[in-house]
Amino acid sequence: QVQLVESGGGLVQAGDSLRLSCVSSGRTFSSYGMGWFRQAPGKEREFVAFIRWSSTGTYYADSVKGRFAIFRDDAKNTVYLQMNSLKPEDTAVYYCAARGKYAGGSYYSEGSYDYWGQGTKVTVSS
């Protein structure tokens, strides 16, 4: 069983930066691919970023490419989402999720993830 706990959300102004963290309780964190998703008020949850279990690849939604960066520290069982040049449209609850090394489906599909955190809220004011 893997438990994920996000932190780092808050209220910031447009143009500011924020770093989200997601800590896993599992002993096999390094074998999981990790993703970040977000859900804005009144909208469906959407893919933000993904990092492979070996950190050999990172992938981003077009809306955040060039502004956000995902990275992981397996020694700390933690995945991060560095968010720069934040915009009001980035306002959402951000969730981290874990999928097994050989999981089927695409990394941008919610259904391919086995574990989810409770979310952390990010509000960007204009």
Side-chain angles (χ1 to χ4, degrees), residues 3-39:
Q3 291 186 324
L4 303 173
V5 179
E6 304 96 333
S7 62
L11 172 63
V12 297
Q13 293 187 329
D16 285 350
S17 296
L18 206 57
R19 179 178 292 183
L20 305 183
S21 300
C22 172
V23 180
S24 170
S25 64
R27 292 179 295 173
T28 56
F29 174 79
S30 61
S31 66
Y32 284 91
M34 299 299 297
W36 284 96
F37 288 74
R38 68 186 181 186
Q39 186 168 21

Side-chain angles (χ1 to χ4, degrees), residues 12-102:
V12 297
Q13 293 187 329
D16 285 350
S17 296
L18 206 57
R19 179 178 292 183
L20 305 183
S21 300
C22 172
V23 180
S24 170
S25 64
R27 292 179 295 173
T28 56
F29 174 79
S30 61
S31 66
Y32 284 91
M34 299 299 297
W36 284 96
F37 288 74
R38 68 186 181 186
Q39 186 168 21
K43 295 187 177 181
E44 294 188 352
R45 190 155 55 184
E46 65 176 3
F47 167 75
V48 175
F50 174 74
I51 185 167
R52 292 193 179 278
W53 64 274
S54 58
S55 295
T56 53
T58 56
Y59 307 87
Y60 300 93
D62 288 343
S63 59
V64 306
K65 201 171 295 182
R67 299 188 299 121
F68 290 13
I70 185 172
F71 57 101
R72 63 191 298 161
D73 184 341
D74 288 344
K76 295 182 178 180
N77 281 9
T78 303
V79 62
Y80 303 92
L81 185 68
Q82 177 66 42
M83 306 186 295
N84 301 324
S85 303
L86 283 161
K87 304 176 181 180
E89 51 263 44
D90 294 318
T91 294
V93 177
Y94 284 72
Y95 300 88
C96 72
R99 53 180 257 152
K101 184 188 301 187
Y102 303 112

